[in-house]
Amino acid sequence: MGENVLVKINTVQMDFKGNKDNLELITEAKLYVKNNATYVIYEESEISGMKGTTSRLKITEDCVIIKKIGRNNSELVFELGKRFKTLYRTPHGSFPMEIVTKKIEINKEKLCKDMEITIEYDLNISGLFEGKNSINIKIN
């Protein structure tokens, strides 16, 4: 069930002091299309620091939802200009988190393969981190 795809995710975090972190993940995933949405499901790895977590991307025309279930649980909703508040749950505790999406571009073929998504957003995790992030997702 589902189509095998390759997912490449590049995340850049930059705090307001100018410190920058870059994380890249390349993994195999399953792609499904249901009710006008594209779903991409993959297992996190040790490299991402979330081994034991399953990630699910739900992609619509103007919104991306990233849900993580397992060792680390979270749900991030990216919709242009909207503020999203949630709890970021880790083995070390839960932290209030807020994101504001500044840019979202979803480029895809009709069959949902060869998709590229760019998201830029502000992130605040309850005094632990505040900065600007960007995510680039390529699905082939």
Side-chain angles (χ1 to χ4, degrees), residues 49-107:
M50 294 189 209
K51 187 174 180 172
T53 301
T54 300
S55 291
R56 183 191 79 184
L57 309 178
K58 179 182 179 185
I59 305 155
T60 62
E61 271 190 36
D62 58 355
C63 181
V64 175
I65 299 171
I66 301 174
K67 187 169 190 164
K68 297 186 181 297
I69 301 167
R71 191 162 179 238
N72 295 335
N73 296 302
S74 65
E75 182 176 67
L76 305 175
V77 178
F78 300 100
E79 194 169 356
L80 187 61
K82 300 232 176 141
R83 183 178 305 271
F84 179 74
K85 294 181 181 183
T86 188
L87 279 179
Y88 184 64
R89 294 174 181 87
T90 72
H92 307 291
S94 297
F95 306 95
M97 180 170 69
E98 180 178 277
I99 60 174
V100 178
T101 305
K102 300 294 187 174
K103 174 183 175 181
I104 185 165
E105 291 178 359
I106 302 169
N107 301 311

Side-chain angles (χ1 to χ4, degrees), residues 11 13 46-47 80 99 128 132 139:
T11 303
Q13 282 188 332
E46 229 173 277
I47 293 170
L80 187 61
I99 60 174
L128 298 174
K132 297 186 175 297
I139 302 164

Side-chain angles (χ1 to χ4, degrees), residues 110-129:
K110 286 186 180 183
L111 299 175
C112 298
K113 271 193 101 173
D114 299 325
M115 185 182 310
E116 184 168 2
I117 301 166
T118 302
I119 303 169
E120 294 177 4
Y121 62 100
D122 292 343
L123 173 68
N124 186 331
I125 303 176
S126 184
L128 298 174
F129 179 85

